[in-house]
Amino acid sequence: MLRLKSTSPPPSNLIDGRRVLALGAALANLIDGPLQGAIVQMGAIPQLQNLAAGAFDLVLIDADAWEAPALAAAVQALSALKACPPVLVVGANLPAGLVRNLMRLEAADILEAPYTDQQMAGEIQNLLARAQPVLSAATGEAGGSRCWAVTGAVGGCGATTVAIEIAYGLATRSGKDRSVCLVDLNLTDGAAAAYLGAAPTMRLSDFGNAADRIDAAMLQAFVTPVCKGLDLVAGVRDPSAFETVGRDAILRMLEVACEVYDWVILDLPRHRHSWTLEALAGCDEVLVISELTVPALLAARAQSDEIEVGVGVAVGLRPRIVLNRLANRMFGPAPSVTEAEKALQRKAEAGVSSDWEAAAASVNLGGPIAQHRPKSKIVKDIQQMVERLAVQPPRRDTAQKAA
């Protein structure tokens, strides 16, 4: 389930009696300040390797007191915990990689130095306030959602079509109301609404710096029902959307969607934005869609490598490449799947057959291909991929077992 920073106002006095593990000698100065009333234990990063579940209510880390390898080991150890306590990292020099990796923890935040005691207290209160629902989900009291991202290696490779068919396939498989949400994050000129014959309603730019106003009720103002079990969140065409829509608004909207729906499918633009890596870090699967052409294959390989470097190594995320528009061929210039995999330097996750007539008819009529041409090869290929991936454990569970 995608969990990101919340900006809700914190309740007061949550620190009293809480058990805090402070890693960094300078943090002892906070015991008579923001940590007053807490039960504070000073420690070192190696202590995280054997941290018992429920031993602490908050982990406080001074990033300036530790070298980068030690900080990376700390985040890895915390991410392996079944019920990770809230984590607050403070310091004047916070590595970008550390910040990205922290975002995958259930409840984590950063505070850059210099900061006041009031700012520190506010961040601690925020984290402790968020801890209760997070711990409930970790102990099985609430179910978690699954989030998949779909992105194209090149423009026009069919990523939106694949995302729509995946979302529709999951909704059909579930059979429940409000089971799947398809989110079109191509903010300037997304095509998902047009392909589905739906009216886009999302206007995230209206929120400015007030991302905390986005909640489950507000999300429903953005939603366009497509069919039983499938809702669409898509923005009104806006050429300046990537400049005017704030990062916090996008991440908050995705967090709320993952709280409301069982499945969230992201139609992600291939160009990176300020929120891209954080959104990807919260996904269980990332599918990179490629055509069977040399430029597209090279782009797919480069994009997959970039995602792995940006978020994958630390959080156990390895993008899967899907080859789209496969056609039967005996002769011709197009590479075979075997040749394509040599160019990719990895196995392709799946291949989706070419069926131009079915795709064009569905787009013109408005709706998924599975709705208008259920016997299309496209439908069959994507259904098989969905069934194969849907039964696998969530990526966060797999990463914890591996650790």
Side-chain angles (χ1 to χ4, degrees):
M1 180 174 179
L2 190 65
R3 293 187 184 274
L4 304 160
K5 179 179 178 181
S6 171
T7 53
S8 301
S12 59
N13 300 324
L14 289 180
I15 193 65
D16 290 344
R18 297 300 183 107
R19 299 159 298 173
V20 178
L21 176 62
L23 307 181
L27 298 177
N29 297 327
L30 304 176
I31 293 177
D32 294 327
L35 295 179
Q36 188 172 16
I39 303 170
V40 181
Q41 177 179 325
M42 305 301 296
I45 280 180
Q47 188 174 343
L48 297 176
Q49 298 294 337
N50 300 309
L51 196 66
F56 295 96
D57 301 304
L58 175 71
V59 175
L60 187 59
I61 302 175
D62 181 5
D64 296 335
W66 310 97
E67 297 293 334
L71 291 172
V75 175
Q76 182 178 6
L78 289 167
S79 65
L81 296 176
K82 183 176 181 180
C84 180
V87 179
L88 178 60
V89 177
V90 302
N93 300 298
L94 300 172
L98 171 68
V99 174
R100 289 196 299 266
N101 295 339
L102 277 172
M103 299 311 295
R104 76 176 293 266
L105 299 180
E106 297 288 358
D109 212 339
I110 61 171
L111 184 61
E112 294 187 40
Y115 49 82
T116 65
D117 282 358
Q118 290 77 14
Q119 289 173 323
M120 167 69 79
E123 292 295 337
I124 290 174
Q125 297 285 342
N126 265 323
L127 282 171
L128 293 176
R130 291 157 52 193
Q132 292 304 318
V134 168
L135 292 178
S136 295
T139 55
E141 296 177 18
S145 69
R146 303 277 290 274
C147 184
W148 294 358
V150 180
T151 184
V154 294
C157 65
T160 295
T161 296
V162 173
I164 289 171
E165 297 306 314
I166 288 174
Y168 184 80
L170 288 169
T172 302
R173 182 177 184 271
S174 171
K176 294 165 47 180
D177 291 333
R178 299 184 67 190
S179 174
V180 182
C181 183
L182 172 62
V183 182
D184 190 346
L185 291 174
N186 294 280
L187 302 179
T188 60
D189 58 353
Y195 282 18
L196 290 167
T201 58
M202 180 175 67
R203 292 184 181 274
L204 282 177
S205 58
D206 293 346
F207 288 87
N209 296 322
D212 55 304
R213 290 168 47 204
I214 302 175
D215 56 17
M218 184 66 70
L219 180 69
Q220 293 312 299
F222 298 157
V223 163
T224 302
V226 175
C227 61
K228 178 179 173 60
L230 176 59
D231 288 344
L232 170 70
V233 174
V236 177
R237 184 180 178 87
D238 179 2
S240 63
F242 284 122
E243 289 74 36
T244 58
V245 176
R247 160 191 166 276
D248 289 345
I250 292 174
L251 295 178
R252 176 58 182 164
M253 182 267 292
L254 296 180
E255 180 183 28
V256 173
C258 285
E259 293 171 355
V260 173
Y261 294 89
D262 295 334
W263 295 89
V264 177
I265 308 301
L266 310 182
D267 185 3
L268 203 68
R270 70 182 190 280
H271 299 300
R272 185 178 296 185
H273 298 280
S274 62
W275 42 265
T276 301
L277 291 178
E278 289 168 81
L280 287 172
C283 292
D284 295 286
E285 298 286 355
V286 176
L287 304 179
V288 177
I289 312 303
S290 175
E291 293 180 315
L292 211 62
T293 65
V294 171
L297 294 170
L298 295 177
R301 185 178 76 187
Q303 188 174 16
S304 298
D305 290 344
E306 290 167 6
I307 293 172
E308 287 189 17
V309 170
V311 297
V313 174
V315 304
L317 178 64
R318 182 176 174 83
R320 303 178 190 266
I321 297 178
V322 177
L323 302 176
N324 194 25
R325 296 174 183 154
L326 301 184
N328 293 328
R329 82 173 184 96
M330 293 181 62
F331 305 100
S336 65
V337 172
T338 300
E339 293 167 338
E341 291 177 337
K342 288 181 180 179
L344 294 171
Q345 296 182 353
R346 67 180 74 196
K347 297 288 289 184
E349 173 62 31
V352 180
S353 300
S354 177
D355 190 347
W356 175 257
E357 188 278 331
S362 296
V363 168
N364 291 332
L365 293 171
I369 300 172
Q371 200 172 54
H372 298 293
R373 296 290 190 275
K375 295 183 179 180
S376 169
K377 295 179 180 178
I378 295 175
V379 175
K380 178 181 178 181
D381 291 340
I382 292 181
Q383 282 180 343
Q384 290 177 345
M385 179 178 66
V386 166
E387 289 296 329
R388 185 168 63 253
L389 295 179
V391 298
Q392 297 193 19
R395 187 254 304 167
R396 57 188 178 279
D397 291 349
T398 303
Q400 289 175 359
K401 290 179 181 178

